[in-house]
């Protein structure tokens, strides 16, 4: 089957860490279908072709008004010989909606703003009625889209990369916390720092490594003075496992998530997870190896949840923890997508 995949989120040489979850979807689909990607790049003007991971990528610019006005014709030409058009991300949804592509259209949505009601999301959500099939990466996001009136919504989780055998956890250094995410208010880095402070005051040996960069870096470094906390900045996705291997608990006091790939990958590595409760993580972060805190700004509640999950994971094997996300592999994703594509073709 020929798949024309249209997205505004895709890694580039200038931004190699962008949307690894979209590229994983494409790579999994390309194992069984002929997939080509049209990458609408809003930081770029012009057009170029390249091959990445064995998949042909056509990169088209969308930096100017003129670039954007060209997009409908470019999309129609790109998808002319495709059996299915598959889009990902809100911007690609908008462009495809006005392009008039006469093919079965599947759209995957990740946008966390749908979890926060606003006039903007209410307007954009009307375009979610255009595709033949809308895919949400979590049940929470699917429910939000349905409240906005989207039809034919199904849940297809992100692909979680897991080791064949999760490594044993080292508890000799006490509680080694890892957090993965941008250093922005929505991810709660300052709340994570306060959680470490609370646990230290209670007498626990605890440290924190935060993987990710963002606008709050300077404030976080200043707030963390005197605490065993390090900020390593952004790293390539392939380096994440080495940081997970050094930790034994994952903490992210997030305000909202559509899925939270980092948390799922932590569980797949045999690490217990503590998070804020709002979002798609509800689908897989569950007791005993996961805890969701309703108020992610409450450092005391976060600290209590960390201790509960530490007790549960220390008493289990890493394989027990990893089994909670065993259904999120690339093969299972491809099976789900094959069923959806075939139903549309039929």
């Amino acid at each position: 089957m020929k798949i024309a995949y249209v997205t505004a989120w895709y890694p580039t040489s200038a931004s190699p860490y962008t949307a690894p979850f979209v590229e994983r979807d494409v790579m999994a689909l390309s194992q069984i279908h002929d997939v080509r990607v049209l990458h609408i790049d809003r930081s770029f003007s012009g057009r170029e072709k390249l091959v990445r991971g064995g998949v042909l990528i056509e990169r088209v610019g969308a930096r100017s008004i003129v670039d954007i006005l060209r997009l409908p014709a470019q999309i129609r030409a790109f998808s002319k010989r495709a059996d299915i058009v598959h889009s990902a991300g809100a911007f690609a949804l908008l462009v495809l909606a006005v392009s008039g592509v006469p093919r079965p259209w599947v759209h995957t949505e990740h946008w966390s703003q749908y979890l926060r009601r606003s006039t903007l999301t209410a307007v954009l959500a009307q375009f979610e009625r255009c595709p033949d099939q809308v895919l949400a990466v979590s049940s929470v996001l699917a429910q939000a889209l349905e409240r906005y009136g989207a039809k034919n919504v199904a849940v297809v989780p992100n692909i979680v990369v897991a080791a064949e055998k999760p490594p044993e956890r080292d508890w000799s250094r006490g509680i080694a916390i890892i957090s993965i995410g941008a250093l922005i208010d929505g991810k709660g880095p300052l709340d994570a720092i306060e959680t470490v402070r609370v646990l230290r005051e209670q007498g626990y040996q605890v440290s924190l490594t935060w993987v990710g960069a963002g606008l709050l870096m300077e404030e976080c470094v200043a707030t963390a003075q005197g605490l065993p906390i390090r900020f390593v900045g952004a790293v390539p996705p392939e380096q994440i496992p080495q940081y997970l291997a050094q930790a034994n608990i994952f903490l992210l006091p997030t305000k909202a998530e559509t899925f939270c790939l980092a948390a799922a990958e932590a569980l797949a590595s045999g690490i217990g997870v503590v998070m804020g409760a709002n979002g798609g993580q509800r689908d897989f972060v569950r007791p005993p190896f996961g805890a969701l805190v309703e108020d992610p700004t409450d450092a005391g509640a976060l600290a209590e949840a960390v201790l509960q999950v530490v007790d549960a994971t220390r008493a289990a094997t890493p394989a027990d923890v990893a089994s909670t996300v065993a259904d999120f592999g690339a093969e299972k994703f491809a099976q789900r997508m094959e069923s959806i594509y075939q139903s549309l073709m039929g």
Side-chain angles (χ1 to χ4, degrees):
M1 196 179 296
K2 294 181 178 179
I3 311 297
Y5 202 102
V6 182
T7 178
W9 293 340
Y10 215 73
T12 66
S13 58
S15 184
Y17 313 145
T18 298
F21 43 87
V22 176
E23 186 172 40
R24 285 181 188 176
D25 288 2
V26 168
M27 291 299 110
L29 292 172
S30 70
Q31 299 304 306
I32 52 177
H33 295 296
D34 178 6
V35 182
R36 293 186 305 138
V37 174
L38 186 71
H39 176 200
I40 303 170
D41 191 341
R42 286 172 286 177
S43 67
F44 169 75
S45 281
R47 188 165 189 165
E48 67 175 0
K49 292 185 179 182
L50 62 148
V51 175
R52 184 179 170 100
V55 174
L56 178 64
I57 315 292
E58 291 193 32
R59 184 174 172 230
V60 296
R63 188 163 60 182
S64 69
I65 296 297
V66 173
D67 289 336
I68 292 171
L69 291 175
R70 291 191 184 116
L71 289 175
Q74 291 173 331
I75 288 172
R76 287 193 295 270
F78 176 78
S79 59
K80 187 175 181 180
R81 294 179 177 82
D83 299 305
I84 296 278
V85 175
H86 192 144
S87 58
F91 188 75
L93 171 76
L94 297 177
V95 177
L96 266 167
V98 300
S99 296
V101 176
R103 296 286 183 276
W105 175 15
V106 178
H107 176 70
T108 296
E109 192 54 74
H110 304 82
W111 200 38
S112 63
Q113 291 301 313
Y114 284 127
L115 303 182
R116 307 177 181 92
R117 287 188 173 273
S118 70
T119 302
L120 174 62
T121 53
V123 171
L124 292 178
Q126 303 313 304
F127 291 92
E128 300 284 354
R129 303 181 183 193
C130 298
D132 300 293
Q133 177 73 65
V134 174
L135 307 179
V137 295
S138 67
S139 62
V140 172
L141 181 57
Q143 291 160 10
L145 291 170
E146 287 170 341
R147 285 195 297 270
Y148 280 117
K151 307 296 183 184
N152 299 323
V153 182
V155 176
V156 177
N158 283 323
I159 295 171
V160 177
V161 176
E164 275 190 36
K165 184 179 180 182
E168 293 296 326
R169 295 295 131 196
D170 179 10
W171 295 96
S172 64
R173 297 179 293 113
I175 303 171
I177 300 174
I178 186 168
S179 301
I180 302 173
L183 284 168
I184 57 176
D185 181 66
K187 299 292 185 181
L190 296 172
D191 301 307
I193 293 169
E194 289 308 308
T195 302
V196 171
R197 197 184 307 278
V198 168
L199 289 167
R200 298 278 293 183
E201 289 172 353
Q202 292 175 357
Y204 292 97
Q205 183 183 1
V206 58
S207 62
L208 167 65
T209 298
W210 191 290
V211 179
L215 296 175
L216 293 180
M217 174 68 84
E218 187 174 337
E219 183 178 357
C220 287
V221 170
T223 305
Q225 286 294 320
L227 293 171
I229 296 175
R230 63 174 179 146
F231 300 93
V232 299
V235 303
E238 60 270 19
Q239 290 184 15
I240 293 296
Q242 73 184 52
Y243 288 96
L244 289 171
Q246 299 166 17
N248 49 39
I249 197 79
F250 177 95
L251 171 65
L252 194 67
T254 181
K255 304 296 191 297
E257 298 284 339
T258 52
F259 182 81
C260 195
L261 186 59
E265 290 181 343
L267 287 166
S269 298
I271 300 173
V273 168
V274 175
M275 294 185 67
N278 183 29
Q281 63 270 26
R282 288 182 175 273
D283 288 350
F284 57 89
V285 179
R286 302 188 182 99
F289 308 128
L292 297 174
V293 177
E294 292 297 333
D295 181 3
T297 65
D298 185 341
L302 290 167
E304 183 179 347
V306 166
L307 295 175
Q308 290 173 355
V309 174
V310 163
D311 286 343
T313 53
R314 289 188 73 166
T317 68
D320 292 333
V321 180
S323 68
T324 60
V325 289
D327 203 33
F328 292 169
E331 185 176 346
K332 182 65 74 171
F333 169 85
Q335 291 172 359
R336 292 183 176 110
M337 289 309 310
E338 181 68 10
S339 176
I340 289 166
Y341 288 162
Q342 291 293 347
S343 68
L344 289 174
M345 292 298 292

